[in-house]
Amino acid sequence: MVITDSEGVVRGIITDRRLLARAVASLQPRFWHVLGDLVDAVRLWRGTRGPLSAGDLMRTDVFTVRADEPIIHAIRLLMQRQVKRLVVVDGAGRLQGVVDRQTLLQWLAEASSRDWGVRTNGSHRTTT
């Protein structure tokens, strides 16, 4: 989930990894108690008693790619930063979408089929 401000400028992202890291506590028999303690600890750290918000959970070190940049730039960035997704923004930093590894791999597979004459047939790979 990408978090934007009122003008659509990207401010952070909540990843499945961050959510999963917090859900690992569910393996403990006292999960809800532990989760409640965690929520209380975060509230104290924030200095408030209000409910936690998406902003409390999001990462602010968001890796972005401009919508007009070449796909190869996005692929390099994913590999260099070892992240699963990039936030796509316009020139003003406003959210345009998200591109992830699976989408890029699918695009590469389709491009290789077109450009290199390779097609897949079930589990067999053939060339044309």
Side-chain angles (χ1 to χ4, degrees):
M1 175 185 301
V2 179
I3 309 299
T4 61
D5 63 17
S6 61
E7 296 176 4
V9 176
V10 175
R11 295 297 177 201
I13 189 168
I14 300 174
T15 63
D16 54 344
R17 185 175 182 178
R18 286 181 81 80
L19 292 173
L20 183 59
R22 281 160 175 78
V24 167
S26 67
L27 300 175
Q28 303 295 324
R30 298 175 50 223
F31 168 68
W32 293 111
H33 181 71
V34 170
L35 183 60
D37 290 346
L38 176 62
V39 169
D40 289 342
V42 171
R43 283 183 184 148
L44 287 173
W45 175 72
R46 287 178 46 227
T48 181
R49 287 279 184 213
L52 291 176
S53 67
D56 296 321
L57 188 58
M58 74 179 186
R59 294 179 59 162
T60 57
D61 58 336
V62 180
F63 298 108
T64 63
V65 62
R66 283 192 337 267
D68 60 350
E69 290 186 273
I71 290 174
I72 192 67
H73 179 75
I75 293 169
R76 283 189 187 126
L77 190 57
L78 283 170
M79 291 171 42
Q80 289 170 347
R81 300 299 184 175
Q82 296 184 357
V83 293
K84 293 181 182 179
R85 64 195 56 83
L86 298 172
V87 176
V88 181
V89 297
D90 64 12
R94 289 185 300 262
L95 176 65
Q96 300 297 302
V98 176
V99 64
D100 59 22
R101 284 191 282 189
Q102 181 176 348
T103 302
L104 286 172
L105 284 172
Q106 183 177 353
W107 177 84
L108 285 170
E110 291 170 4
S112 69
S113 296
R114 286 190 310 273
D115 298 341
W116 301 328
V118 177
R119 64 174 187 236
T120 57
N121 181 8
S123 62
H124 304 292
R125 184 176 152 165
T126 59
T127 57
T128 57

